[in-house]
Amino acid sequence: MKKALITGITGQDGSYLAELLLSKGYQVHGMVRRSSEEKFERIGHLREQITLHQGDLLDQFSLAGLIETVQPDEIYNLAAQSFVPTSWSQPVLTGEFTGLGVTKMLEAVRHTNPKIKFYQASSSEMFGRVLETPQSENTPFYPRSPYGVAKAYGHFITVNYRESFGLFAVSGILFNHESPRRGLEFVTRKVAHGAAMIKRGKWKKLGLGNMDAKRDWGFAGDYVEAMWMMLQQDKPDDYVIATHETHTVREFVETAFSHVGLDWREHVVTDPAFVRPAEVDILMGDYAKANRVLGWSPKVKFKNLVEMMVDADLARIDRAQPEFRY
């Protein structure tokens, strides 16, 4: 039985990845930070099937000790400060967790068991002010936020450890991927939740920032499968994971509100507080390499993804279920 260690297991991607690995017969371990409040809503249904361990990306010794204890075959490093707007208010913390934390994980692997296969969660935010469209593995990075800069560091340090020390270390350059498990701070979930709340008569208005930003949105459940596929290859490499489609925030809003029979223009207002200091105008990924080498392609289409998220929020409201939070 293979053993996998997932950092960030309580997040959106971590929960879907844990489900996938369990379905493939893995023994799944997750690293969680000690907190005065347990926030395990996304993995509540898996608690009896997984083993959780305390650890911290900023604590080198806790990482090495955890790897020594678990003896994993694969490590999926999904933990990070992952909300772009927060990276502007907490740039140093973002750099430490999202950038240096990767180095500490790689160092722990190198000194504990260099045969472990390592996955690093890179991000399309590294492309920032894009220099070409669509973006591929060969597109230069031009990050436009402390988060994007930190992710670029994490990406390149992974490449460096692979080339310098022979580690099986890969980076998945994942474009925006959403699901009903997305946190409310992310615009897609904010829109889905807002449409559901307005439909149920609990809200009247929804405030949003830049409606013209264009993103490549896929389903998180599809994307974690690509993560697993990368670690099953004979040689480590980096891959763009995307849908090769782009949609504006306005399209996302229109699709969500239309799904519940509402005209978004009657309910959505622009709020300057939600506009980024430096905007990323368009992201669209070319996943041709992942399709050719891994045999991967996205399954869930944009409209289905939006409707899935809205339906889940309607059901959550009707059950008075608490929200996912970090």
Side-chain angles (χ1 to χ4, degrees):
M1 178 183 291
K2 278 189 176 181
K3 284 191 283 188
L5 172 62
I6 304 171
T7 71
I9 195 170
T10 60
Q12 169 189 258
D13 293 4
S15 65
Y16 280 109
L17 179 60
E19 287 177 347
L20 175 71
L21 296 178
L22 287 169
S23 74
K24 294 183 178 298
Y26 278 66
Q27 184 183 116
V28 177
H29 297 258
M31 187 185 88
V32 296
R33 295 180 65 202
R34 188 186 182 284
S35 173
S36 59
E37 181 183 10
E38 289 196 345
K39 301 174 181 178
F40 300 148
E41 293 95 336
R42 294 182 181 88
I43 57 171
H45 62 298
L46 303 174
R47 288 296 297 274
E48 301 302 316
Q49 304 173 66
I50 62 179
T51 304
L52 299 181
H53 307 264
Q54 287 187 3
D56 195 312
L57 282 180
L58 302 187
D59 184 347
Q60 183 81 47
F61 296 105
S62 75
L63 298 178
L66 177 55
I67 293 172
E68 188 69 46
T69 297
V70 175
Q71 292 292 314
D73 300 285
E74 300 170 358
I75 292 178
Y76 296 85
N77 187 41
L78 311 185
Q81 191 299 101
S82 59
F83 188 44
V84 174
T86 298
S87 77
W88 288 105
S89 60
Q90 297 181 304
V92 176
L93 182 71
T94 299
E96 289 176 338
F97 275 108
T98 308
L100 284 177
V102 185
T103 309
K104 294 184 178 185
M105 281 296 302
L106 288 164
E107 274 289 280
V109 169
R110 182 167 77 95
H111 290 291
T112 306
N113 180 2
K115 294 183 179 179
I116 294 171
K117 292 186 173 183
F118 180 85
Y119 172 86
Q120 166 60 16
S122 288
S123 169
S124 59
E125 287 286 333
M126 300 186 302
F127 294 118
R129 181 185 285 174
V130 299
L131 302 180
E132 64 181 9
T133 298
Q135 296 88 51
S136 72
E137 293 82 3
N138 298 317
T139 303
F141 298 147
Y142 195 146
R144 296 271 283 169
S145 67
Y147 171 79
V149 172
K151 278 293 186 183
Y153 174 93
H155 177 86
F156 279 124
I157 201 67
T158 301
V159 173
N160 269 259
Y161 271 66
R162 177 172 73 223
E163 296 179 349
S164 301
F165 302 116
L167 297 184
F168 194 109
V170 308
S171 284
I173 307 173
L174 271 58
F175 280 64
N176 296 66
H177 47 289
E178 317 298 322
S179 78
R181 300 178 192 174
R182 198 49 141 160
L184 279 172
E185 63 270 37
F186 291 88
V187 67
T188 50
R189 178 71 200 294
K190 184 177 180 181
V191 170
H193 180 252
M197 290 292 279
I198 292 171
K199 177 63 177 179
R200 290 294 185 255
K202 296 180 179 294
W203 288 0
K204 293 185 181 298
K205 299 291 182 181
L206 173 65
L208 296 174
N210 180 12
M211 299 277 283
D212 296 317
K214 296 178 181 179
R215 293 292 183 270
D216 184 326
W217 279 301
F219 174 51
D222 289 344
Y223 285 35
V224 298
E225 186 175 17
M227 298 178 188
W228 174 78
M229 287 177 167
M230 290 179 210
L231 293 193
Q232 312 315 306
Q233 303 307 302
D234 293 330
K235 295 180 180 179
D237 206 348
D238 307 321
Y239 299 88
V240 162
I241 303 300
T243 69
H244 204 268
E245 293 182 10
T246 186
H247 299 273
T248 62
V249 173
R250 183 175 288 102
E251 286 179 78
F252 199 105
V253 170
E254 184 176 7
T255 303
F257 277 77
S258 175
H259 184 55
V260 293
L262 296 174
D263 184 345
W264 68 272
R265 291 166 293 190
E266 297 177 4
H267 303 283
V268 176
V269 295
T270 300
D271 187 339
F274 298 121
V275 177
R276 295 183 184 184
E279 183 59 83
V280 174
D281 297 316
I282 180 171
L283 292 172
M284 182 171 72
D286 180 357
Y287 67 91
K289 179 180 174 182
N291 181 252
R292 183 180 70 253
V293 179
L294 306 178
W296 181 89
S297 60
K299 300 180 180 70
V300 177
K301 299 297 184 183
F302 173 77
K303 183 173 184 290
N304 301 122
L305 172 64
V306 179
E307 293 177 350
M308 173 202 308
M309 293 177 69
V310 174
D311 287 341
D313 269 313
L314 287 170
R316 191 175 288 118
I317 293 167
D318 293 342
R319 295 193 306 269
Q321 182 177 327
E323 303 301 337
F324 292 131
R325 59 194 186 282
Y326 288 97

